[in-house]
């Protein structure tokens, strides 16, 4: 998130100034940082898989299984952190349609591979993690082929610019910190679900998370588009276009959110049956899926406004908004509501 957000904003500002050379530098430096980071993450996660499982709330008898799943997922960390940045540069190069295709394809491949591995390979969580990782590599290969065949941006192995690296971290920090907020939120909610309702609730949440990428793909696409386009308007100092972009993004995003809510309430139970036929887990998953859907209109508002605030240099305001919506409010509701809901 740090490099993806930072590179997108810097690229938009460079586009506003017509500086193609700087765009190539930003891309090259970003890709090298991401590759090194991805390799380190894979190694660290595999070495400390058991520790990470314990940190995520796994009980003693669950740590081995959780660690296996974490290791399976870890092999996909490299494409997982590179793909969003590639999508960012696609959007900046007026390839928004293909960038949206990649975003939706990632969710679709994840769902397809998970189901195929469950049905044909094994129900072992390690292999489910591997399935998710394979979906990441599939989309990465598709994206790289597109970049190479269309010669979108020039990559230089030896590109280096200290100012670009500094600005990448400056503008990318809010995106990185919100990722940390989401991680702590998920740990807290998983632990609370396990305490309140046991393994059925945790399994239900796993089903919801499997579909969240698919349902959130539009929000992600809208947010990334707003972030990139608004950075160009900020570079050009075009406040009127910035206002129009914000209004249009909020309107379209909320409309899509309402459509997704309707789909989930009508077909949510049938969607959950793809993963299990256990009635208790299905009830938990369907309940969670409906609650999750009701957050979608609010989420799109936060996504759009945080993108605008970040490009305007309102870093503190962006961080406060992310802290509230990604961590404090969800965890507070998770603490307060269970006693009343039974």
């Amino acid at each position: 998130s740090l490099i993806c957000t930072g590179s997108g904003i810097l690229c938009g500002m460079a586009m506003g100034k017509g500086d193609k050379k700087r765009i190539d530098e930003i891309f090259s430096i970003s890709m090298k940082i991401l590759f090194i980071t991805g390799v380190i993450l894979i190694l660290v996660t595999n070495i400390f898989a058991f520790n990470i499982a314990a940190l995520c709330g796994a009980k003693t008898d669950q740590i081995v299984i959780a660690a296996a799943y974490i290791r399976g997922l870890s092999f996909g960390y490299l494409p997982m952190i590179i793909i969003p940045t590639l999508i960012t540069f696609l959007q900046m190069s007026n390839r928004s349609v293909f960038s949206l295709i990649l975003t939706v394809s990632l969710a679709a491949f994840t769902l397809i591979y998970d189901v195929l591995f469950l049905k044909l390979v094994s129900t072992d969580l390690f292999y489910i993690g591997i399935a998710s990782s394979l979906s990441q590599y599939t989309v990465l290969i598709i994206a790289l082929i597109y970049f190479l065949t269309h010669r979108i941006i020039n990559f230089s192995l030896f590109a280096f610019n200290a100012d670009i690296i500094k600005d990448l971290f400056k503008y990318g920090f809010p995106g990185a910190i919100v990722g940390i907020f989401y991680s702590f939120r998920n740990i807290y909610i998983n632990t609370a679900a396990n305490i309140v309702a046991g393994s059925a609730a945790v399994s239900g949440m796993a089903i919801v998370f499997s579909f969240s990428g698919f349902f959130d793909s539009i929000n992600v696409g809208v947010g990334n588009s707003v972030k990139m386009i608004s950075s160009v308007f900020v570079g050009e100092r075009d406040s009127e276009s910035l206002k129009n972009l914000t209004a249009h993004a909020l309107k379209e995003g909320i409309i899509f959110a309402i459509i997704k809510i309707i789909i989930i309430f009508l077909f949510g139970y049938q969607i959950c049956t793809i993963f299990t036929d256990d009635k208790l887990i299905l009830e938990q998953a369907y309940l969670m899926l409906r609650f999750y859907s009701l957050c979608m209109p609010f989420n799109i508002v936060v996504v759009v406004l945080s993108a605008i605030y970040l490009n305007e240099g309102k870093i503190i305001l962006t961080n406060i908004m992310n802290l509230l919506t990604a961590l404090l409010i969800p965890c507070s509701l998770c603490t307060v509501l269970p006693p009343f809901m039974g």
Side-chain angles (χ1 to χ4, degrees):
S1 293
L2 189 152
I3 301 300
C4 179
T5 302
S7 62
I9 292 173
L10 292 182
C11 182
M13 293 178 177
M15 286 185 66
K17 299 174 182 177
D19 192 344
K20 177 67 169 61
K21 181 181 177 182
R22 184 173 174 82
I23 294 173
D24 291 340
E25 281 186 316
I26 294 167
F27 177 77
S28 300
I29 292 171
S30 298
M31 288 298 107
K32 288 185 287 185
I33 292 175
L34 289 171
F35 181 82
I36 294 170
T37 303
V39 172
I40 293 173
L41 283 174
I42 292 172
L43 293 174
V44 170
T45 303
N46 275 274
I47 293 172
F48 298 103
F50 286 92
N51 306 80
I52 296 171
L55 180 64
C56 291
K59 296 180 179 179
T60 305
D61 59 337
Q62 300 171 332
I63 286 181
V64 174
I65 298 174
Y69 181 58
I70 289 169
R71 281 179 171 149
L73 282 177
S74 72
F75 291 107
Y77 286 167
L78 182 61
M80 187 184 298
I81 64 174
I82 291 177
I83 290 170
T85 303
L86 292 178
I87 289 174
T88 293
F89 281 93
L90 281 170
Q91 292 169 336
M92 300 307 299
S93 303
N94 292 322
R95 267 85 170 186
S96 296
V97 174
F98 189 74
S99 69
L100 183 58
I101 290 173
L102 283 182
T103 303
V104 176
S105 296
L106 182 57
F109 278 120
T110 300
L111 183 61
I112 292 169
Y113 285 178
D114 282 353
V115 172
L116 287 177
F117 268 65
L118 277 171
K119 302 293 184 182
L120 303 178
V121 180
S122 172
T123 57
D124 188 281
L125 285 179
F126 173 76
Y127 291 103
I128 303 305
I130 290 294
S132 298
S133 295
L134 286 177
S135 68
Q136 299 280 345
Y137 281 103
T138 301
V139 174
L140 177 61
I141 291 171
I142 294 172
L144 290 177
I145 291 173
Y146 187 87
F147 265 80
L148 291 172
T149 55
H150 290 75
R151 298 182 180 275
I152 297 173
I153 296 176
N154 297 318
F155 174 82
S156 173
L157 183 62
F158 303 102
F160 178 82
N161 187 312
D163 290 334
I164 287 178
I165 295 175
K166 181 183 71 175
D167 287 340
L168 280 173
F169 282 85
K170 173 186 174 182
Y171 286 100
F173 179 76
I177 199 68
V178 76
I180 295 174
F181 292 156
Y182 280 131
S183 296
F184 280 114
R185 180 201 68 183
N186 291 342
I187 291 172
Y188 182 86
I189 293 177
N190 272 322
T191 303
N194 195 26
I195 293 172
V196 173
S199 59
V202 176
S203 299
M205 287 196 66
I207 293 174
V208 173
F209 285 145
S210 296
F211 283 104
S212 63
F214 181 79
F215 285 114
D216 286 342
S217 60
I218 294 176
N219 286 14
V220 173
V222 171
N224 288 337
S225 297
V226 170
K227 194 178 298 176
M228 300 308 106
I229 298 171
S230 62
S231 67
V232 177
F233 292 152
V234 169
E236 296 175 342
R237 300 182 184 276
D238 189 347
S239 59
E240 189 61 32
S241 294
L242 194 61
K243 291 179 182 177
N244 292 335
L245 172 67
T246 305
H248 180 73
L250 288 173
K251 177 184 176 182
E252 299 298 327
I254 291 174
I255 289 174
F256 278 115
I258 293 172
I259 292 173
K260 288 186 289 183
I261 290 173
I262 295 172
I263 291 173
I264 286 173
F265 269 76
L266 290 178
F267 306 107
Y269 192 87
Q270 288 76 11
I271 291 173
C272 294
T273 58
I274 294 175
F275 285 94
T276 183
D277 56 2
D278 187 297
K279 291 186 177 181
L280 180 58
I281 296 176
L282 283 173
E283 289 176 1
Q284 296 282 351
Y286 183 41
L287 177 64
M288 294 175 187
L289 195 59
R290 283 178 290 173
F291 272 109
Y292 152 75
S293 71
L294 295 177
C295 300
M296 291 177 178
F298 302 100
N299 179 255
I300 194 65
V301 172
V302 171
V303 166
V304 172
L305 292 183
S306 62
I308 299 295
Y309 292 155
L310 180 58
N311 283 328
E312 291 180 335
K314 299 175 181 177
I315 308 295
I316 295 177
L317 179 59
T318 305
N319 287 333
I320 292 174
M321 180 184 296
N322 288 335
L323 175 63
L324 289 171
T325 59
L327 181 64
L328 295 184
I329 293 176
C331 290
S332 298
L333 291 175
C334 184
T335 303
V336 172
L337 291 180
F340 296 98
M341 297 179 65

